[in-house]
Amino acid sequence: RDDLTALELPPDPGEVAATSPDHWPWAAAAAVLGSFRPLELGPLPGGEPLVPALVALAEFVLAGSDGLWALRDDVRSRCLRRLWDENLLSTALDANVSLDDRRRDWLGRLLQDGRPQLAYLGSSELDDLDVVLGWLQPLDPRFVDDRVAVQAAVERRILIDPLRALVGQHFRGRERELATVRTYLEAAGGDGQVAQSPAPEAELDPVLVLTGPGGSGKSSLLGKLLLDLEDDPDPGGMGRPFAYIDFDKARHDPRSPRRLLEQIARQLQLLYATSEKSGVLAAAEGEYDDGRPGPSGLAVTDLPAEHQVADLVEVLAAALRTFFRA
């Protein structure tokens, strides 16, 4: 056993080949690109490859039907690690700056400026950002939280994108109605804290209802309000929490309070995905999972019907009190 433990495993032949003098200048340059055409690729400056990229990289790439090549994930990981360790990432980013590559551009922006405001990115941009953060995550632990935030944003985008299509780019009018709803939200705890019971002399109706004939713009008004909340510059901080339950979706069954509260807990968990206390909201979501006992041991669907809704709500309320407690 001691002799076996002392043995060193031979290096992966692919790793040796990819980082050998003949291959390294090409593999290093390709490692920071999402895809490339082999005849257009330039090598990493400082190395003089003896063979062209078409020959040097043929066994290390996946080739698409459009003629574009992409470095295999295992080869990319090894090349990025060496570039990182030798402080050559910037050199590799500049090697093919004339080529159009969104993932290379995101890599440079992340290294220079950090994570951007996710609320203002389109779905395809979020997908590219997620891929690039997957490249960087093994290199530096600080990129782990960034990727969690991006993946949460992608999932929330499924919820929010229909609202963007509904509201459009040029929402106009209804300023009085918007002001009314915003005033209501501020009075209901818009400072990011869980709303406390109002003083008797300033009683607040717990429910605000928007009414009007079909086509009068109720959904657009609500969509505009929710998008303003979603596009807060710092949605991952302790900003205003909200959830959007659309009863046009089959999974939002108004006859199932447990499922509705599970969805609310899920949306809040995604909103605060990078918070140190996000696990509190995840635990609340787990309480509603098929009625099985969650972290607190509460099997809410085993309770008498007259107690179920109150106990279901208390699970989430307790989590929110813990989460927002200073």
Side-chain angles (χ1 to χ4, degrees), residues 30 32-38 40-41 62 66-71 76 99-104 135:
V32 298
L33 297 173
S35 59
F36 58 93
R37 297 188 185 280
E40 297 176 355
L41 184 71
L62 300 174
D66 54 1
L68 292 173
W69 285 10
L71 214 58
R76 185 191 305 276
L99 300 183
D100 184 23
D101 191 272
R102 293 189 305 178
R103 292 181 178 177
R104 186 267 324 280
W135 299 349

Side-chain angles (χ1 to χ4, degrees), residues 31-32 73 75-89 107 111 131-144:
V32 298
D73 288 342
V75 177
R76 185 191 305 276
S77 295
R78 291 192 288 265
C79 290
L80 287 175
R81 168 55 67 183
R82 178 173 168 182
L83 289 169
W84 179 272
D85 290 342
E86 297 180 8
N87 200 27
L88 290 173
L89 265 176
L107 181 57
L111 293 173
V131 170
V132 174
L133 284 168
W135 299 349
L136 291 173
Q137 187 174 303
L139 305 178
D140 192 326
R142 66 190 170 99
F143 293 113
V144 174

Side-chain angles (χ1 to χ4, degrees), residues 155 243-245 251-253 256-270 281-292 300 312-313 315-316:
E155 189 170 340
Y244 173 50
I245 305 299
R251 67 175 179 270
H252 297 158
D253 185 353
S256 175
R258 177 171 60 85
R259 286 299 184 199
L260 297 180
L261 287 162
E262 179 185 28
Q263 179 61 212
I264 292 171
R266 177 61 179 169
Q267 290 186 27
L268 293 173
Q269 181 192 351
L270 292 172
L281 300 173
E285 181 189 1
E287 295 281 6
Y288 305 122
D289 185 16
D290 296 330
R292 295 191 294 271
V300 289
L312 282 166
V313 171
V315 169
L316 183 56

Side-chain angles (χ1 to χ4, degrees), residues 214-281:
S216 61
K218 300 183 301 296
S219 297
S220 295
L221 179 66
L222 179 61
K224 170 63 175 172
L225 180 75
L226 295 180
L227 289 176
D228 287 346
L229 294 177
E230 179 72 10
D231 292 344
D232 187 300
D234 186 24
M238 290 301 178
R240 194 173 304 168
F242 74 97
Y244 173 50
I245 305 299
D246 181 359
F247 289 109
D248 285 337
K249 298 185 183 300
R251 67 175 179 270
H252 297 158
D253 185 353
R255 297 164 297 184
S256 175
R258 177 171 60 85
R259 286 299 184 199
L260 297 180
L261 287 162
E262 179 185 28
Q263 179 61 212
I264 292 171
R266 177 61 179 169
Q267 290 186 27
L268 293 173
Q269 181 192 351
L270 292 172
L271 185 63
Y272 299 111
T274 58
S275 168
E276 293 180 355
K277 295 193 289 185
S278 64
V280 172
L281 300 173

Side-chain angles (χ1 to χ4, degrees), residues 64-213:
S65 58
D66 54 1
L68 292 173
W69 285 10
L71 214 58
R72 288 198 332 248
D73 288 342
D74 58 323
V75 177
R76 185 191 305 276
S77 295
R78 291 192 288 265
C79 290
L80 287 175
R81 168 55 67 183
R82 178 173 168 182
L83 289 169
W84 179 272
D85 290 342
E86 297 180 8
N87 200 27
L88 290 173
L89 265 176
S90 295
T91 304
L93 288 169
D94 293 337
N96 290 279
V97 70
S98 62
L99 300 183
D100 184 23
D101 191 272
R102 293 189 305 178
R103 292 181 178 177
R104 186 267 324 280
D105 295 342
W106 271 121
L107 181 57
R109 289 175 62 183
L110 286 168
L111 293 173
Q112 183 173 355
D113 304 323
R115 188 209 312 167
Q117 293 182 5
L118 303 181
Y120 300 101
L121 300 181
S123 296
S124 63
E125 292 176 298
L126 286 172
D127 289 340
D128 285 332
L129 188 55
D130 180 44
V131 170
V132 174
L133 284 168
W135 299 349
L136 291 173
Q137 187 174 303
L139 305 178
D140 192 326
R142 66 190 170 99
F143 293 113
V144 174
D145 282 348
D146 287 346
R147 195 176 191 199
V148 169
V150 169
Q151 291 174 339
V154 169
E155 189 170 340
R156 283 188 63 81
R157 193 55 53 85
I158 298 172
L159 172 78
I160 295 299
D161 274 355
L163 289 177
R164 296 192 189 279
L166 175 68
V167 175
Q169 297 294 322
H170 306 289
F171 182 89
R172 293 289 184 274
R174 303 198 268 303
E175 294 298 331
R176 181 175 61 84
E177 291 85 354
L178 271 176
T180 299
V181 180
R182 285 169 176 156
T183 300
Y184 172 84
L185 286 179
E186 290 169 2
D191 57 355
Q193 302 301 312
V194 176
Q196 303 297 317
S197 300
E201 63 273 12
E203 289 189 2
L204 179 70
D205 191 329
V207 177
L208 179 68
V209 180
L210 306 181
T211 62

